[in-house]
DNA sequence: GTAGACCTTGACCCCGACGTCAACGCCAGC
DNA sequence: GCTGGCGTTGACGTCGGGGTCAAGGTCTAC
């Protein structure tokens, strides 16, 4: 099949397929007229790539899976190289999720506090002193030109 | 103080401060020689920006907080506009976290299955048929040129 | 033969938050 | 007066994953 058909079957664009080819990820054979030719295996490889992309893999990280499939192995993750990528991505993912979870927690607390202060006219609870308006000047050392404010 | 000192105090770079100024987020007064001049309030504003940036806010999303502080309000999130941003970011965050959680789950399952198949020489369990090597050809309709493979 | 649906390469554009020069001005100390 | 460390503006590069022309070649149907 040609590039447009493959793109349609895989739910992507021709530009994307040319991009993958330029990156050496999904090279295409050529017909007499110079048109790219693909077969069903390419569709399979492409499908693997898109799946991992949807998982948040970078393009380069899909390469072991594609190579594995191209080697004729039963599935893209049959090779240790693919499993290594899995494990690395899982660690990354855990780290990111944990980080976001903590951020979410902090932000939720900030919002709750701010809403409370907004409803009642209470004085702001103590937080990082630098994100508040100045009340009593008790800042760190200052440069020699700080009082030269226009 | 001058740009370098502010950058050092805030743990960022002069390039970043010029960028913020170009975006209208942290404009600077100028001395006679054309040098940018900052005071302690700028440090506070900058601190608010960096804090939110660390939370994953885009630069534009920090603007309500900065405006709020600049208006003399007790904290950057004293204004409803800031609270709206909080709420929007929380929703985004929840969505992202949930998505990542699901991806993590799927990937973990894939890894477990692949490891199992690697240890024992079992046939691959059924998954999306397109990410596996072909066994019995039973694909969908094909274009008129699929058999013309070189 | 000609429209128009496909294909080709090449080139530039996009996003965000800066990094990295280049070429120059200002100011301190010696 | 000269070096070195600051500052200035401007312009271009980065990263990933493509989008969007533009100018032309190919093939099929009418
Ligand atoms: Zn393999
Ligand atoms: Zn702080
Ligand atoms: Zn306010
Ligand atoms: Zn599938």
């Amino acid at each position: 099949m040609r590039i447009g058909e493959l793109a349609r079957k895989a739910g992507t664009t021709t530009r994307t397929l040319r991009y993958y080819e330029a990156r050496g990820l999904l090279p295409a054979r050529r017909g007499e007229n110079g048109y790219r030719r693909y077969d069903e295996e390419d569709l399979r490889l492409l499908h693997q790539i898109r799946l991992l992309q949807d998982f948040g893999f970078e393009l380069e990280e899909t390469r072991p899976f594609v190579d594995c499939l191209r080697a004729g192995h039963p599935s893209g993750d049959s090779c240790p190289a693919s499993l290594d990528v899995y494990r690395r991505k899982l660690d990354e993912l855990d780290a990111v999720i944990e980080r976001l979870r903590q951020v979410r927690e902090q932000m939720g607390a900030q919002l709750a506090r701010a809403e409370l202060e907004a409803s009642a006219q209470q004085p702001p609870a103590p937080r990082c002193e630098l994100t508040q308006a100045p009340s009593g000047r008790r800042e760190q050392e200052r440069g020699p030109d700080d009082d030269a404010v226009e």
Side-chain angles (χ1 to χ4, degrees), chain A residues 38-110:
Chain A
Y38 300 92
D39 55 16
E40 294 297 326
E41 189 189 354
D42 291 317
L43 178 55
R44 239 164 12 86
L45 301 184
L46 180 52
H47 201 82
Q48 173 77 79
I49 295 172
R50 303 303 297 183
L51 179 68
L52 296 178
Q53 284 268 86
D54 289 346
F55 278 179
F57 282 50
E58 291 176 19
L59 218 43
E60 273 310 306
E61 295 174 325
T62 71
R63 198 178 292 270
F65 294 80
V66 176
D67 288 347
C68 175
L69 271 180
R70 197 176 275 123
H73 300 171
S75 63
D77 49 21
S78 300
C79 276
S82 304
L83 297 187
D84 286 348
V85 178
Y86 269 159
R87 281 187 273 263
R88 200 160 44 71
K89 293 305 277 186
L90 277 175
D91 286 350
E92 280 180 28
L93 217 42
D94 285 343
V96 169
I97 290 175
E98 178 53 22
R99 164 109 177 95
L100 291 185
R101 228 184 40 70
Q102 289 184 8
V103 167
R104 202 247 112 100
E105 202 172 327
Q106 289 188 54
M107 269 188 52
Q110 294 278 326

Side-chain angles (χ1 to χ4, degrees), chain A residues 116-129:
Chain A
L116 196 69
E117 287 172 12
S119 63
Q121 221 56 9
Q122 294 171 343
R127 283 176 298 162
C128 170
E129 78 263 10

